[in-house]
Amino acid sequence: MTRAVVPGSFDPITKGHIDIIQRCASLFDEVIVGVAENTSKNYMFSREERVDLARKSIGNIEGVTVENVDGLLAQWCKDRNVDAIVKGLRSAVDANFELPQATVNRQLADIETILLATHPALAHISSTIVKEVAINRGDVSSMVSEHVREALDEKILGTRGGGKTS
């Protein structure tokens, strides 16, 4: 049985993330969406909210679960017998960031990193862009699931289902 993790902070999870997760599910027997903390980021959503939004957004994709990633990703993967780390690449900028991390993870835990090119129609989407558009009351419905759009409305506008960031 092959097991992969798609790690990220997912603040919030986007349709680009979901595309990578769906494609990963067709390549591996089991996929873990690993919701992690990055000390260099300021989060809009708590970890619990990010886990919940990821679970709601991925729906019932067979073989996919969502878990918290605590500590060093390489060690976390080793402890769970994960065969590969899968990351999406939107551009060469992402590759320049991900390649050194892949090398370190291989050194630390002898784990492979697979870099999947993002679908071109989704390559412009990032969690940062989603938050910026939503904060400025733009339409994010093409970038995130309905669950995430509603959570953004609630977080930014203080509404529950009534307001729209679209």
Side-chain angles (χ1 to χ4, degrees):
M1 175 147 131
T2 57
R3 177 183 282 178
V5 64
V6 179
S9 53
F10 304 108
D11 187 43
I13 191 167
T14 70
K15 288 185 177 179
H17 294 129
I18 295 166
D19 175 62
I20 294 295
I21 294 161
Q22 288 174 322
R23 290 166 53 205
C24 199
S26 71
L27 299 171
F28 295 90
D29 297 316
E30 183 181 348
V31 175
I32 303 166
V33 176
V35 180
E37 293 286 327
N38 182 332
T39 57
S40 66
K41 291 187 178 184
N42 293 317
Y43 293 103
M44 176 177 281
F45 294 98
S46 70
R47 169 123 41 139
E48 294 77 23
E49 290 170 320
R50 291 181 281 131
V51 166
D52 183 57
L53 288 172
R55 285 185 177 136
K56 288 176 179 173
S57 295
I58 62 169
N60 295 321
I61 302 172
E62 190 172 334
V64 178
T65 59
V66 180
E67 294 183 27
N68 284 315
V69 172
D70 290 311
L72 199 58
L73 177 63
Q75 187 61 49
W76 187 90
C77 289
K78 189 174 184 175
D79 293 345
R80 284 159 185 79
N81 298 314
V82 170
D83 300 296
I85 297 168
V86 179
K87 303 290 292 250
L89 291 183
R90 294 169 296 188
S91 68
V93 172
D94 286 349
N96 287 336
F97 179 78
E98 296 297 345
L99 287 172
Q101 286 190 45
T103 301
V104 169
N105 287 331
R106 182 154 173 86
Q107 275 185 322
L108 292 174
D110 196 30
I111 188 164
E112 294 293 342
T113 299
I114 297 170
L115 304 173
L116 286 180
T118 301
H119 189 287
L122 304 171
H124 66 287
I125 302 171
S126 71
S127 296
T128 301
I129 287 173
V130 166
K131 289 183 287 194
E132 188 66 26
V133 171
I135 287 167
N136 288 289
R137 303 187 89 175
D139 183 3
V140 297
S141 59
S142 66
M143 297 182 245
V144 297
S145 71
E146 185 64 18
H147 297 290
V148 171
R149 191 199 56 76
E150 289 173 358
L152 285 162
D153 283 350
E154 188 172 342
K155 189 71 73 171
I156 294 165
L157 304 174
T159 63
R160 186 170 179 95
K164 272 194 144 190
T165 49
S166 54

